Amino acid sequence: MAQDYPDDQVRVGTPERERAIGLLNDAFSGGYLEIVEFEERSESVYAAKTRGDLRVVLDNLPVAGHLFPEAPVAGAVVPVGGAVVPVGQQVTFDAEWETVRRKGGWSVPANILVTGSMGTIDLDFTSAMLPGPLVNLELQVSTCTVKLRVGHDQEIRYATLDRSRWSSVKDKAGAPVRVGGSVINVTGSISWMTGLTIRRA
């Protein structure tokens, strides 16, 4: 039975939910969760309103103590462009009049935010090193060209992506050829004639 804490009613926001997803990724990678349970707990993270809600999601996992540390806790890290970034921390790619391109064996952060306008975003996940079964890709772009390429067993979900101002999504990938691969969850907003194209290798 989960322990009650005096701050269980404190509201949580995006930073706390991202930390929880990062910890679930760690637990899955360590073999503590089955894929079905990982997906169920991930859905509960996004629905969580309070610290108590998030504690229930991480209940009985070895990583639970890292959810609300009183002081910074050394955690798992992934290399991003030569730097070291803690798992769960959001990494920002700026596409303001720029081209952001990642391909080959690049290390994918668990949480990515892409911002900017009048740019090109080209992310190829086919040979990338993914941090776990779920990658959160948040788009906050306008008048951009966005290209995403996935591998045979990878799945892209974009049901909650907000499209406005004549923006469009062209999903040419279809369903994964094999099951059991990572899920790339695309959220956020695309606007002002931004075109998102999804292809499969």
Side-chain angles (χ1 to χ4, degrees), residues 41-196:
R41 293 196 186 212
S42 296
E43 291 178 4
S44 297
V45 166
Y46 292 115
K49 302 295 185 185
T50 67
R51 285 192 167 199
D53 294 338
L54 285 184
R55 285 194 173 102
V56 169
V57 177
L58 274 293
D59 188 33
N60 74 17
L61 293 176
V63 296
H66 295 261
L67 183 58
F68 301 114
E70 295 301 321
V73 176
V77 296
V78 294
V80 180
V84 171
V85 178
V87 170
Q89 179 176 325
Q90 193 174 56
V91 176
T92 301
F93 294 156
D94 184 9
E96 188 71 22
W97 291 86
E98 298 285 346
T99 295
V100 174
R101 180 174 289 110
R102 298 290 186 276
K103 62 180 181 178
W106 65 292
S107 296
V108 181
N111 299 285
I112 304 171
L113 170 63
V114 180
T115 62
S117 59
M118 303 299 292
T120 297
I121 301 98
D122 188 354
L123 303 180
D124 187 340
F125 296 96
T126 55
S127 300
M129 293 179 287
L130 301 177
L134 179 65
V135 173
N136 293 300
L137 173 59
E138 180 182 350
L139 301 176
Q140 296 294 343
V141 298
S142 62
T143 324
C144 283
T145 298
V146 183
K147 302 175 184 178
L148 304 178
R149 185 178 294 272
V150 293
H152 296 299
D153 61 349
Q154 295 169 347
E155 178 185 355
I156 284 202
R157 299 176 183 172
Y158 50 87
T160 61
L161 178 67
D162 182 42
R163 288 160 271 179
S164 60
R165 306 291 184 180
W166 308 286
S167 293
S168 64
V169 174
K170 294 181 180 178
D171 187 349
K172 300 181 179 181
V177 178
R178 299 189 303 267
V179 297
S182 297
V183 173
I184 300 160
N185 189 42
V186 183
T187 62
S189 173
I190 57 175
S191 60
W192 291 109
M193 294 188 290
T194 292
L196 167 59

Side-chain angles (χ1 to χ4, degrees), residues 6 12 26 29 31 47 92 133 157:
V12 294
D26 290 348
S29 299
T92 301
R157 299 176 183 172

